[in-house]
Amino acid sequence: MTKTQSPSWNPRIEGLRGVSILLVFFAHINPDFKHKWGTLGVAIFFIISGYVITGSISRQISASTPHELTLRIFLKKFYVRRARRLLPLAITVILLILFTSLFDSSADEKQYVLSAIFCLLYAGNIFGYTFGYTDLAPAIGHFWSLAVEEQFYFIWPILYFYAFRKFDRKINATKWTFIGILVITISHPLIAATGKTPYTLPTTYFDLLLMGCCMSLMKDKIEELKGIRVIFINCVGFLSFLIIILSSSSFITSTSSLFYYNFNALLASSVFLFALKSNVFNCKVLRFFGKISYSLYCIHWPLFYFWRTFIGGGFFSMASAGALSILISLLSQRYFETKFYQPTV
């Protein structure tokens, strides 16, 4: 299969995606890890996703003929492309998790089956509110974030098609997107003040996805920034990156329980802007992990969980599990997943 490079492909965003998956990867390889890397890695993932998918939607509309610019044809093309990219690996991993759980004496068979159904329907994030279970089955729990992402994409493409594409100026679309971000951002401390922590509900993360969408809409203006503004973005972004890497989870959580999600969003968005304006993330190693990020995200956690269950969780044991998960992810991305979709890079 011939590989083609998307005209909008940004190696720095690919590198930042690599940073995101490595944050999640190292948080999961050691459950007692004192840093909050996993949460912040997922936050950055959401922003990247909103940015990339908005650019993809925009290019799809621009490349469509007038006949193709109907909601039915537009959505069909969009969701078929998403399904070909995501479902083959997701279905394979979920089925393998179900099979492996049969050999785990501690596994709740009903929980695993119900969790698998919810995850295949991209509703895993709400499983904890049903059937009396507090969360997804252990080895499949990481699929909650993929559900949040897809739920957003049941809304955003329709909004973009019906409203934003009709505006004469992008500033109008950006304004309404920013209002959406503002409303959700304000809701975080208000919800926290009631004592509720709806960790996996989609609205908790829609502001991050909308931030990515907004930055995609403002892409041209961001690229035009020069001088002191770029220096400011780079300084704030670099400082935010250091906070993510060096600060313990207790520091981030104690920043204020009311503003916990807002603080995470601020760090993630600052690092994302930093990546747009800096070559720090244009590194072959980071781009390698960015390229296999979806594969590694799906594969690493169930492999880690069952590896600890059946083999053990010592340092060298988990180092072997980590290396194996990277190898399997590379093989999956290169020889399995690309059979179903046309890679852009």
Side-chain angles (χ1 to χ4, degrees):
M1 181 178 290
T2 302
K3 295 183 179 181
T4 59
Q5 181 168 301
S6 168
S8 64
W9 180 72
N10 187 334
R12 290 170 292 187
I13 297 302
E14 189 84 283
L16 180 60
R17 201 196 302 265
V19 170
S20 301
I21 188 58
L22 287 174
L23 289 173
V24 175
F25 180 87
F26 284 113
H28 284 169
I29 204 168
N30 180 8
D32 299 323
F33 205 61
K34 67 178 181 178
H35 297 285
K36 204 70 173 178
W37 286 4
T39 299
L40 290 164
V42 169
I44 296 172
F45 260 130
F46 282 138
I47 296 178
I48 293 173
S49 184
Y51 181 88
V52 171
I53 210 70
T54 300
S56 176
I57 292 172
S58 177
R59 290 191 299 276
Q60 180 182 334
I61 290 176
S62 298
S64 298
T65 64
H67 170 73
E68 294 174 324
L69 283 178
T70 65
L71 183 64
R72 182 183 64 82
I73 295 176
F74 168 74
L75 291 181
K76 179 181 178 181
K77 286 187 174 183
F78 176 81
Y79 291 123
V80 166
R81 187 169 66 249
R82 294 288 293 174
R84 289 173 64 90
R85 177 66 183 96
L86 302 178
L87 285 180
L89 180 62
I91 292 172
T92 301
V93 169
I94 290 172
L95 290 178
L96 286 173
I97 290 172
L98 283 177
F99 175 76
T100 309
S101 69
L102 297 176
F103 303 94
D104 182 3
S105 59
S106 65
D108 182 333
E109 183 178 336
K110 178 183 176 183
Q111 184 186 21
Y112 267 99
V113 171
L114 290 173
S115 296
I117 293 172
F118 270 67
C119 290
L120 287 171
L121 295 174
Y122 286 99
N125 60 315
I126 63 173
F127 179 76
Y129 304 93
T130 62
F131 298 105
Y133 290 103
T134 58
D135 206 348
L136 292 163
I140 205 171
H142 62 313
F143 273 87
W144 73 268
S145 62
L146 299 179
V148 170
E149 186 179 6
E150 290 312 304
Q151 287 159 20
F152 180 77
Y153 296 134
F154 285 127
I155 301 171
W156 179 249
I158 298 175
L159 288 178
Y160 194 98
F161 182 88
Y162 267 133
F164 296 169
R165 79 181 184 91
K166 295 179 182 294
F167 290 144
D168 293 330
R169 297 177 300 170
K170 281 189 176 181
I171 189 64
N172 294 313
T174 306
K175 178 182 71 176
W176 286 107
T177 305
F178 183 78
I179 290 173
I181 296 170
L182 187 63
V183 169
I184 299 173
T185 298
I186 293 172
S187 75
H188 291 323
L190 296 178
I191 294 173
T194 67
K196 304 292 184 181
T197 54
Y199 181 75
T200 60
L201 291 182
T203 51
T204 304
Y205 301 95
F206 276 10
D207 58 336
L208 293 168
L209 287 153
L210 283 171
M211 283 179 189
C213 297
C214 190
M215 290 186 199
S216 180
L217 292 169
M218 297 174 62
K219 178 182 175 183
D220 293 340
K221 291 186 177 295
I222 293 174
E223 290 179 348
E224 291 172 0
L225 294 177
K226 296 179 180 179
I228 191 67
R229 294 180 180 179
V230 174
I231 294 174
F232 176 77
I233 288 173
N234 288 345
C235 288
V236 173
F238 184 69
L239 177 62
S240 298
F241 188 63
L242 286 180
I243 292 174
I244 290 174
I245 297 298
L246 301 177
S247 297
S248 65
S249 59
S250 60
F251 167 79
I252 293 177
T253 303
S254 64
T255 302
S256 174
S257 59
L258 291 181
F259 297 98
Y260 173 68
Y261 291 108
N262 304 81
F263 186 63
N264 284 350
L266 179 63
L267 290 175
S269 57
S270 297
V271 170
F272 183 86
L273 275 174
F274 178 39
L276 285 180
K277 300 301 296 182
S278 170
N279 282 321
V280 171
F281 299 98
N282 187 8
C283 163
K284 287 185 178 180
V285 174
L286 294 179
R287 295 206 313 268
F288 165 78
F289 281 101
K291 187 174 183 178
I292 66 168
S293 58
Y294 174 66
S295 313
L296 189 56
Y297 186 82
C298 289
I299 291 168
H300 83 281
W301 174 245
L303 191 150
F304 287 176
Y305 179 82
F306 288 124
W307 192 280
R308 289 191 186 95
T309 300
F310 299 125
I311 299 177
F315 175 80
F316 290 105
S317 177
M318 292 310 300
S320 300
L324 181 61
S325 67
I326 293 171
L327 176 60
I328 294 174
S329 299
L330 174 61
L331 295 175
S332 171
Q333 191 276 333
R334 183 171 296 178
Y335 299 110
F336 173 62
E337 297 164 59
T338 52
K339 301 296 183 183
F340 301 93
Y341 78 100
Q342 176 70 43
T344 56
V345 293

